[in-house]
PDB file of all heavy atoms in Angstrom:
ATOM      1  N   VAL A  20     -10.884  -1.208 -11.347  1.00 97.00           N
ATOM      2  CA  VAL A  20     -10.699  -1.903 -10.062  1.00 97.00           C
ATOM      3  C   VAL A  20     -12.034  -1.961  -9.324  1.00 97.00           C
ATOM      4  O   VAL A  20     -12.874  -1.095  -9.455  1.00 97.00           O
ATOM      5  CB  VAL A  20      -9.648  -1.203  -9.145  1.00 97.00           C
ATOM      6  CG1 VAL A  20      -8.315  -1.208  -9.853  1.00 97.00           C
ATOM      7  CG2 VAL A  20     -10.039   0.231  -8.775  1.00 97.00           C
ATOM      8  N   CYS A  21     -12.205  -3.060  -8.584  1.00 94.00           N
ATOM      9  CA  CYS A  21     -13.248  -3.214  -7.528  1.00 94.00           C
ATOM     10  C   CYS A  21     -12.977  -4.482  -6.745  1.00 94.00           C
ATOM     11  O   CYS A  21     -12.015  -5.263  -7.054  1.00 94.00           O
ATOM     12  CB  CYS A  21     -14.614  -3.196  -8.155  1.00 94.00           C
ATOM     13  SG  CYS A  21     -15.151  -4.750  -8.967  1.00 94.00           S
ATOM     14  N   ASN A  22     -13.817  -4.740  -5.772  1.00 93.00           N
ATOM     15  CA  ASN A  22     -13.617  -5.912  -4.898  1.00 93.00           C
ATOM     16  C   ASN A  22     -14.622  -7.049  -5.214  1.00 93.00           C
ATOM     17  O   ASN A  22     -14.709  -7.953  -4.472  1.00 93.00           O
ATOM     18  CB  ASN A  22     -13.724  -5.578  -3.424  1.00 93.00           C
ATOM     19  CG  ASN A  22     -15.012  -4.883  -3.068  1.00 93.00           C
ATOM     20  OD1 ASN A  22     -15.695  -4.234  -3.883  1.00 93.00           O
ATOM     21  ND2 ASN A  22     -15.458  -5.173  -1.838  1.00 93.00           N
ATOM     22  N   PHE A  23     -15.325  -6.982  -6.368  1.00 92.00           N
ATOM     23  CA  PHE A  23     -16.215  -7.993  -6.764  1.00 92.00           C
ATOM     24  C   PHE A  23     -15.714  -8.710  -7.982  1.00 92.00           C
ATOM     25  O   PHE A  23     -15.632  -8.146  -9.109  1.00 92.00           O
ATOM     26  CB  PHE A  23     -17.647  -7.372  -7.032  1.00 92.00           C
ATOM     27  CG  PHE A  23     -18.375  -6.834  -5.802  1.00 92.00           C
ATOM     28  CD1 PHE A  23     -19.425  -6.010  -6.069  1.00 92.00           C
ATOM     29  CD2 PHE A  23     -17.933  -7.177  -4.612  1.00 92.00           C
ATOM     30  CE1 PHE A  23     -20.121  -5.504  -5.016  1.00 92.00           C
ATOM     31  CE2 PHE A  23     -18.556  -6.706  -3.464  1.00 92.00           C
ATOM     32  CZ  PHE A  23     -19.687  -5.849  -3.719  1.00 92.00           C
ATOM     33  N   GLN A  24     -15.429  -9.999  -7.850  1.00 91.00           N
ATOM     34  CA  GLN A  24     -14.835 -10.737  -8.947  1.00 91.00           C
ATOM     35  C   GLN A  24     -15.799 -10.823 -10.188  1.00 91.00           C
ATOM     36  O   GLN A  24     -15.424 -10.785 -11.301  1.00 91.00           O
ATOM     37  CB  GLN A  24     -14.492 -12.120  -8.475  1.00 91.00           C
ATOM     38  CG  GLN A  24     -13.968 -13.133  -9.518  1.00 91.00           C
ATOM     39  CD  GLN A  24     -12.607 -12.579 -10.186  1.00 91.00           C
ATOM     40  OE1 GLN A  24     -11.807 -11.991  -9.487  1.00 91.00           O
ATOM     41  NE2 GLN A  24     -12.494 -12.819 -11.492  1.00 91.00           N
ATOM     42  N   SER A  25     -17.096 -11.059  -9.861  1.00 89.00           N
ATOM     43  CA  SER A  25     -18.099 -11.085 -11.003  1.00 89.00           C
ATOM     44  C   SER A  25     -18.128  -9.820 -11.783  1.00 89.00           C
ATOM     45  O   SER A  25     -18.227  -9.819 -12.968  1.00 89.00           O
ATOM     46  CB  SER A  25     -19.496 -11.383 -10.397  1.00 89.00           C
ATOM     47  OG  SER A  25     -19.901 -10.390  -9.483  1.00 89.00           O
ATOM     48  N   MET A  26     -18.013  -8.648 -11.072  1.00 90.00           N
ATOM     49  CA  MET A  26     -17.940  -7.376 -11.844  1.00 90.00           C
ATOM     50  C   MET A  26     -16.691  -7.256 -12.699  1.00 90.00           C
ATOM     51  O   MET A  26     -16.695  -6.835 -13.798  1.00 90.00           O
ATOM     52  CB  MET A  26     -18.040  -6.188 -10.910  1.00 90.00           C
ATOM     53  CG  MET A  26     -19.319  -6.029 -10.170  1.00 90.00           C
ATOM     54  SD  MET A  26     -20.668  -5.573 -11.337  1.00 90.00           S
ATOM     55  CE  MET A  26     -21.608  -7.054 -11.445  1.00 90.00           C
ATOM     56  N   ARG A  27     -15.531  -7.734 -12.117  1.00 93.00           N
ATOM     57  CA  ARG A  27     -14.288  -7.683 -12.859  1.00 93.00           C
ATOM     58  C   ARG A  27     -14.395  -8.524 -14.165  1.00 93.00           C
ATOM     59  O   ARG A  27     -13.866  -8.173 -15.143  1.00 93.00           O
ATOM     60  CB  ARG A  27     -13.140  -8.119 -11.925  1.00 93.00           C
ATOM     61  CG  ARG A  27     -12.736  -7.121 -10.866  1.00 93.00           C
ATOM     62  CD  ARG A  27     -11.626  -7.652 -10.035  1.00 93.00           C
ATOM     63  NE  ARG A  27     -10.525  -8.042 -10.907  1.00 93.00           N
ATOM     64  CZ  ARG A  27      -9.561  -8.930 -10.506  1.00 93.00           C
ATOM     65  NH1 ARG A  27      -9.559  -9.398  -9.249  1.00 93.00           N
ATOM     66  NH2 ARG A  27      -8.566  -9.188 -11.276  1.00 93.00           N
ATOM     67  N   LYS A  28     -15.034  -9.622 -13.936  1.00 92.00           N
ATOM     68  CA  LYS A  28     -15.161 -10.565 -15.191  1.00 92.00           C
ATOM     69  C   LYS A  28     -16.025  -9.900 -16.233  1.00 92.00           C
ATOM     70  O   LYS A  28     -15.728  -9.999 -17.425  1.00 92.00           O
ATOM     71  CB  LYS A  28     -15.801 -11.885 -14.698  1.00 92.00           C
ATOM     72  CG  LYS A  28     -15.956 -12.891 -15.762  1.00 92.00           C
ATOM     73  CD  LYS A  28     -16.654 -14.190 -15.341  1.00 92.00           C
ATOM     74  CE  LYS A  28     -16.793 -15.154 -16.474  1.00 92.00           C
ATOM     75  NZ  LYS A  28     -17.450 -16.434 -16.019  1.00 92.00           N
ATOM     76  N   LEU A  29     -17.004  -9.161 -15.828  1.00 90.00           N
ATOM     77  CA  LEU A  29     -17.867  -8.399 -16.729  1.00 90.00           C
ATOM     78  C   LEU A  29     -17.052  -7.354 -17.534  1.00 90.00           C
ATOM     79  O   LEU A  29     -17.136  -7.243 -18.673  1.00 90.00           O
ATOM     80  CB  LEU A  29     -19.017  -7.781 -15.952  1.00 90.00           C
ATOM     81  CG  LEU A  29     -20.029  -7.010 -16.799  1.00 90.00           C
ATOM     82  CD1 LEU A  29     -20.782  -7.918 -17.817  1.00 90.00           C
ATOM     83  CD2 LEU A  29     -21.079  -6.314 -15.893  1.00 90.00           C
ATOM     84  N   TRP A  30     -16.198  -6.605 -16.800  1.00 91.00           N
ATOM     85  CA  TRP A  30     -15.392  -5.609 -17.448  1.00 91.00           C
ATOM     86  C   TRP A  30     -14.363  -6.278 -18.310  1.00 91.00           C
ATOM     87  O   TRP A  30     -14.006  -5.716 -19.376  1.00 91.00           O
ATOM     88  CB  TRP A  30     -14.699  -4.676 -16.379  1.00 91.00           C
ATOM     89  CG  TRP A  30     -15.595  -4.147 -15.345  1.00 91.00           C
ATOM     90  CD1 TRP A  30     -15.273  -3.947 -14.025  1.00 91.00           C
ATOM     91  CD2 TRP A  30     -16.949  -3.672 -15.402  1.00 91.00           C
ATOM     92  NE1 TRP A  30     -16.308  -3.509 -13.314  1.00 91.00           N
ATOM     93  CE2 TRP A  30     -17.353  -3.358 -14.151  1.00 91.00           C
ATOM     94  CE3 TRP A  30     -17.849  -3.586 -16.510  1.00 91.00           C
ATOM     95  CZ2 TRP A  30     -18.628  -2.761 -13.957  1.00 91.00           C
ATOM     96  CZ3 TRP A  30     -19.101  -3.111 -16.295  1.00 91.00           C
ATOM     97  CH2 TRP A  30     -19.468  -2.662 -14.981  1.00 91.00           C
ATOM     98  N   GLN A  31     -13.857  -7.343 -17.901  1.00 94.00           N
ATOM     99  CA  GLN A  31     -12.821  -8.094 -18.768  1.00 94.00           C
ATOM    100  C   GLN A  31     -13.477  -8.497 -20.034  1.00 94.00           C
ATOM    101  O   GLN A  31     -12.796  -8.405 -21.159  1.00 94.00           O
ATOM    102  CB  GLN A  31     -12.309  -9.316 -17.998  1.00 94.00           C
ATOM    103  CG  GLN A  31     -11.351  -8.824 -16.856  1.00 94.00           C
ATOM    104  CD  GLN A  31     -10.978 -10.033 -15.886  1.00 94.00           C
ATOM    105  OE1 GLN A  31     -11.425 -11.116 -16.089  1.00 94.00           O
ATOM    106  NE2 GLN A  31     -10.223  -9.771 -14.880  1.00 94.00           N
ATOM    107  N   GLU A  32     -14.668  -9.054 -20.031  1.00 91.00           N
ATOM    108  CA  GLU A  32     -15.369  -9.495 -21.200  1.00 91.00           C
ATOM    109  C   GLU A  32     -15.633  -8.260 -22.146  1.00 91.00           C
ATOM    110  O   GLU A  32     -15.794  -8.526 -23.386  1.00 91.00           O
ATOM    111  CB  GLU A  32     -16.713 -10.097 -20.814  1.00 91.00           C
ATOM    112  CG  GLU A  32     -16.519 -11.387 -20.140  1.00 91.00           C
ATOM    113  CD  GLU A  32     -17.816 -11.976 -19.593  1.00 91.00           C
ATOM    114  OE1 GLU A  32     -18.809 -11.239 -19.584  1.00 91.00           O
ATOM    115  OE2 GLU A  32     -17.811 -13.189 -19.121  1.00 91.00           O
ATOM    116  N   GLN A  33     -15.663  -7.086 -21.565  1.00 88.00           N
ATOM    117  CA  GLN A  33     -15.854  -5.913 -22.397  1.00 88.00           C
ATOM    118  C   GLN A  33     -14.491  -5.313 -22.824  1.00 88.00           C
ATOM    119  O   GLN A  33     -14.435  -4.204 -23.455  1.00 88.00           O
ATOM    120  CB  GLN A  33     -16.650  -4.799 -21.610  1.00 88.00           C
ATOM    121  CG  GLN A  33     -18.027  -5.205 -21.297  1.00 88.00           C
ATOM    122  CD  GLN A  33     -18.795  -4.165 -20.492  1.00 88.00           C
ATOM    123  OE1 GLN A  33     -18.454  -3.026 -20.463  1.00 88.00           O
ATOM    124  NE2 GLN A  33     -19.953  -4.666 -19.864  1.00 88.00           N
ATOM    125  N   GLY A  34     -13.396  -5.983 -22.518  1.00 91.00           N
ATOM    126  CA  GLY A  34     -12.091  -5.616 -22.971  1.00 91.00           C
ATOM    127  C   GLY A  34     -11.218  -4.864 -21.979  1.00 91.00           C
ATOM    128  O   GLY A  34     -10.137  -4.407 -22.383  1.00 91.00           O
ATOM    129  N   ALA A  35     -11.669  -4.666 -20.780  1.00 94.00           N
ATOM    130  CA  ALA A  35     -10.907  -3.870 -19.849  1.00 94.00           C
ATOM    131  C   ALA A  35      -9.834  -4.699 -19.105  1.00 94.00           C
ATOM    132  O   ALA A  35     -10.052  -5.932 -18.855  1.00 94.00           O
ATOM    133  CB  ALA A  35     -11.865  -3.218 -18.756  1.00 94.00           C
ATOM    134  N   ARG A  36      -8.821  -4.104 -18.722  1.00 96.00           N
ATOM    135  CA  ARG A  36      -7.834  -4.757 -17.821  1.00 96.00           C
ATOM    136  C   ARG A  36      -8.279  -4.423 -16.369  1.00 96.00           C
ATOM    137  O   ARG A  36      -8.639  -3.277 -16.077  1.00 96.00           O
ATOM    138  CB  ARG A  36      -6.481  -4.189 -18.027  1.00 96.00           C
ATOM    139  CG  ARG A  36      -5.316  -4.792 -17.189  1.00 96.00           C
ATOM    140  CD  ARG A  36      -4.012  -4.139 -17.438  1.00 96.00           C
ATOM    141  NE  ARG A  36      -2.981  -4.751 -16.613  1.00 96.00           N
ATOM    142  CZ  ARG A  36      -1.720  -4.226 -16.554  1.00 96.00           C
ATOM    143  NH1 ARG A  36      -1.434  -3.188 -17.258  1.00 96.00           N
ATOM    144  NH2 ARG A  36      -0.838  -4.816 -15.831  1.00 96.00           N
ATOM    145  N   THR A  37      -8.327  -5.420 -15.468  1.00 97.00           N
ATOM    146  CA  THR A  37      -8.902  -5.184 -14.111  1.00 97.00           C
ATOM    147  C   THR A  37      -7.958  -5.681 -13.090  1.00 97.00           C
ATOM    148  O   THR A  37      -7.014  -6.432 -13.384  1.00 97.00           O
ATOM    149  CB  THR A  37     -10.259  -5.940 -13.959  1.00 97.00           C
ATOM    150  OG1 THR A  37     -10.039  -7.310 -13.836  1.00 97.00           O
ATOM    151  CG2 THR A  37     -11.212  -5.682 -15.114  1.00 97.00           C
ATOM    152  N   ALA A  38      -8.229  -5.213 -11.769  1.00 97.00           N
ATOM    153  CA  ALA A  38      -7.430  -5.710 -10.679  1.00 97.00           C
ATOM    154  C   ALA A  38      -8.280  -5.543  -9.401  1.00 97.00           C
ATOM    155  O   ALA A  38      -9.321  -4.816  -9.323  1.00 97.00           O
ATOM    156  CB  ALA A  38      -6.217  -4.868 -10.514  1.00 97.00           C
ATOM    157  N   HIS A  39      -7.941  -6.449  -8.381  1.00 96.00           N
ATOM    158  CA  HIS A  39      -8.713  -6.411  -7.137  1.00 96.00           C
ATOM    159  C   HIS A  39      -8.255  -5.217  -6.349  1.00 96.00           C
ATOM    160  O   HIS A  39      -7.056  -4.852  -6.161  1.00 96.00           O
ATOM    161  CB  HIS A  39      -8.442  -7.641  -6.352  1.00 96.00           C
ATOM    162  CG  HIS A  39      -9.086  -7.658  -4.984  1.00 96.00           C
ATOM    163  ND1 HIS A  39     -10.462  -7.957  -4.897  1.00 96.00           N
ATOM    164  CD2 HIS A  39      -8.659  -7.552  -3.765  1.00 96.00           C
ATOM    165  CE1 HIS A  39     -10.810  -7.902  -3.677  1.00 96.00           C
ATOM    166  NE2 HIS A  39      -9.753  -7.695  -2.868  1.00 96.00           N
ATOM    167  N   PHE A  40      -9.266  -4.455  -5.853  1.00 97.00           N
ATOM    168  CA  PHE A  40      -9.071  -3.298  -4.969  1.00 97.00           C
ATOM    169  C   PHE A  40     -10.215  -3.278  -3.974  1.00 97.00           C
ATOM    170  O   PHE A  40     -11.184  -3.950  -4.181  1.00 97.00           O
ATOM    171  CB  PHE A  40      -8.941  -2.047  -5.761  1.00 97.00           C
ATOM    172  CG  PHE A  40      -8.403  -0.837  -4.907  1.00 97.00           C
ATOM    173  CD1 PHE A  40      -7.226  -0.966  -4.209  1.00 97.00           C
ATOM    174  CD2 PHE A  40      -9.111   0.383  -4.995  1.00 97.00           C
ATOM    175  CE1 PHE A  40      -6.723   0.057  -3.525  1.00 97.00           C
ATOM    176  CE2 PHE A  40      -8.540   1.413  -4.302  1.00 97.00           C
ATOM    177  CZ  PHE A  40      -7.387   1.329  -3.467  1.00 97.00           C
ATOM    178  N   PHE A  41     -10.137  -2.547  -2.893  1.00 95.00           N
ATOM    179  CA  PHE A  41     -11.156  -2.695  -1.843  1.00 95.00           C
ATOM    180  C   PHE A  41     -11.439  -1.442  -1.152  1.00 95.00           C
ATOM    181  O   PHE A  41     -10.480  -0.485  -1.118  1.00 95.00           O
ATOM    182  CB  PHE A  41     -10.672  -3.759  -0.822  1.00 95.00           C
ATOM    183  CG  PHE A  41      -9.286  -3.511  -0.374  1.00 95.00           C
ATOM    184  CD1 PHE A  41      -8.882  -2.651   0.579  1.00 95.00           C
ATOM    185  CD2 PHE A  41      -8.243  -4.288  -0.996  1.00 95.00           C
ATOM    186  CE1 PHE A  41      -7.638  -2.483   0.985  1.00 95.00           C
ATOM    187  CE2 PHE A  41      -6.924  -4.094  -0.645  1.00 95.00           C
ATOM    188  CZ  PHE A  41      -6.573  -3.232   0.364  1.00 95.00           C
ATOM    189  N   PRO A  42     -12.615  -1.183  -0.551  1.00 95.00           N
ATOM    190  CA  PRO A  42     -12.892  -0.122   0.352  1.00 95.00           C
ATOM    191  C   PRO A  42     -12.022  -0.319   1.613  1.00 95.00           C
ATOM    192  O   PRO A  42     -11.378  -1.293   1.801  1.00 95.00           O
ATOM    193  CB  PRO A  42     -14.354  -0.218   0.704  1.00 95.00           C
ATOM    194  CG  PRO A  42     -14.940  -1.180  -0.349  1.00 95.00           C
ATOM    195  CD  PRO A  42     -13.805  -2.117  -0.784  1.00 95.00           C
ATOM    196  N   ALA A  43     -12.018   0.786   2.509  1.00 96.00           N
ATOM    197  CA  ALA A  43     -11.200   0.694   3.625  1.00 96.00           C
ATOM    198  C   ALA A  43     -12.016   1.208   4.852  1.00 96.00           C
ATOM    199  O   ALA A  43     -13.028   1.924   4.736  1.00 96.00           O
ATOM    200  CB  ALA A  43      -9.957   1.524   3.531  1.00 96.00           C
ATOM    201  N   HIS A  44     -11.571   0.800   6.085  1.00 97.00           N
ATOM    202  CA  HIS A  44     -12.165   1.285   7.333  1.00 97.00           C
ATOM    203  C   HIS A  44     -11.835   2.728   7.479  1.00 97.00           C
ATOM    204  O   HIS A  44     -10.704   3.180   7.351  1.00 97.00           O
ATOM    205  CB  HIS A  44     -11.590   0.468   8.465  1.00 97.00           C
ATOM    206  CG  HIS A  44     -11.937   1.022   9.785  1.00 97.00           C
ATOM    207  ND1 HIS A  44     -13.167   1.094  10.335  1.00 97.00           N
ATOM    208  CD2 HIS A  44     -11.045   1.551  10.756  1.00 97.00           C
ATOM    209  CE1 HIS A  44     -13.152   1.638  11.451  1.00 97.00           C
ATOM    210  NE2 HIS A  44     -11.874   1.950  11.781  1.00 97.00           N
ATOM    211  N   ASP A  45     -12.897   3.569   7.788  1.00 97.00           N
ATOM    212  CA  ASP A  45     -12.654   4.956   8.100  1.00 97.00           C
ATOM    213  C   ASP A  45     -12.290   5.107   9.587  1.00 97.00           C
ATOM    214  O   ASP A  45     -13.138   4.716  10.412  1.00 97.00           O
ATOM    215  CB  ASP A  45     -13.976   5.696   7.813  1.00 97.00           C
ATOM    216  CG  ASP A  45     -13.819   7.207   8.070  1.00 97.00           C
ATOM    217  OD1 ASP A  45     -12.712   7.644   8.445  1.00 97.00           O
ATOM    218  OD2 ASP A  45     -14.809   7.906   7.908  1.00 97.00           O
ATOM    219  N   PRO A  46     -11.142   5.528   9.932  1.00 96.00           N
ATOM    220  CA  PRO A  46     -10.776   5.626  11.350  1.00 96.00           C
ATOM    221  C   PRO A  46     -11.675   6.571  12.168  1.00 96.00           C
ATOM    222  O   PRO A  46     -11.694   6.511  13.391  1.00 96.00           O
ATOM    223  CB  PRO A  46      -9.294   6.188  11.361  1.00 96.00           C
ATOM    224  CG  PRO A  46      -9.145   6.802   9.936  1.00 96.00           C
ATOM    225  CD  PRO A  46     -10.033   5.998   9.048  1.00 96.00           C
ATOM    226  N   GLU A  47     -12.365   7.436  11.462  1.00 96.00           N
ATOM    227  CA  GLU A  47     -13.402   8.326  12.145  1.00 96.00           C
ATOM    228  C   GLU A  47     -14.514   7.501  12.835  1.00 96.00           C
ATOM    229  O   GLU A  47     -15.160   7.913  13.761  1.00 96.00           O
ATOM    230  CB  GLU A  47     -14.070   9.269  11.199  1.00 96.00           C
ATOM    231  CG  GLU A  47     -13.083  10.334  10.715  1.00 96.00           C
ATOM    232  CD  GLU A  47     -12.810  11.360  11.703  1.00 96.00           C
ATOM    233  OE1 GLU A  47     -13.791  11.955  12.299  1.00 96.00           O
ATOM    234  OE2 GLU A  47     -11.653  11.742  11.948  1.00 96.00           O
ATOM    235  N   LEU A  48     -14.631   6.207  12.510  1.00 97.00           N
ATOM    236  CA  LEU A  48     -15.676   5.346  13.013  1.00 97.00           C
ATOM    237  C   LEU A  48     -15.164   4.775  14.394  1.00 97.00           C
ATOM    238  O   LEU A  48     -15.924   4.056  15.077  1.00 97.00           O
ATOM    239  CB  LEU A  48     -15.994   4.128  12.072  1.00 97.00           C
ATOM    240  CG  LEU A  48     -16.941   4.572  11.003  1.00 97.00           C
ATOM    241  CD1 LEU A  48     -17.050   3.435   9.934  1.00 97.00           C
ATOM    242  CD2 LEU A  48     -18.355   4.878  11.521  1.00 97.00           C
ATOM    243  N   ASP A  49     -13.835   4.849  14.750  1.00 97.00           N
ATOM    244  CA  ASP A  49     -13.405   4.249  15.962  1.00 97.00           C
ATOM    245  C   ASP A  49     -14.106   4.773  17.199  1.00 97.00           C
ATOM    246  O   ASP A  49     -14.400   4.057  18.138  1.00 97.00           O
ATOM    247  CB  ASP A  49     -11.892   4.453  16.045  1.00 97.00           C
ATOM    248  CG  ASP A  49     -11.117   3.696  15.011  1.00 97.00           C
ATOM    249  OD1 ASP A  49     -11.670   2.805  14.438  1.00 97.00           O
ATOM    250  OD2 ASP A  49      -9.917   3.997  14.859  1.00 97.00           O
TER     251      ASP A  49
END
C-alpha cells in the first residue's frame, strides 16, 4: 500500500497486489 499511483504501478509490474492507503493527520499538531 501507499498513496502514490506511480509507485503502485511499479509494484504491480513486479507482481505485487496493491491498494491505495494514506498518511494521516496527527492530532498532536492541533
Side-chain angles (χ1 to χ4, degrees):
V20 299
C21 76
N22 59 328
F23 292 165
Q24 178 59 35
S25 59
M26 289 294 104
R27 288 179 54 202
K28 183 179 179 183
L29 181 62
W30 310 142
Q31 288 167 3
E32 289 171 352
Q33 295 178 18
R36 182 183 180 187
T37 74
H39 179 76
F40 194 50
F41 45 84
H44 168 67
D45 181 4
E47 290 285 311
L48 282 170
D49 291 344

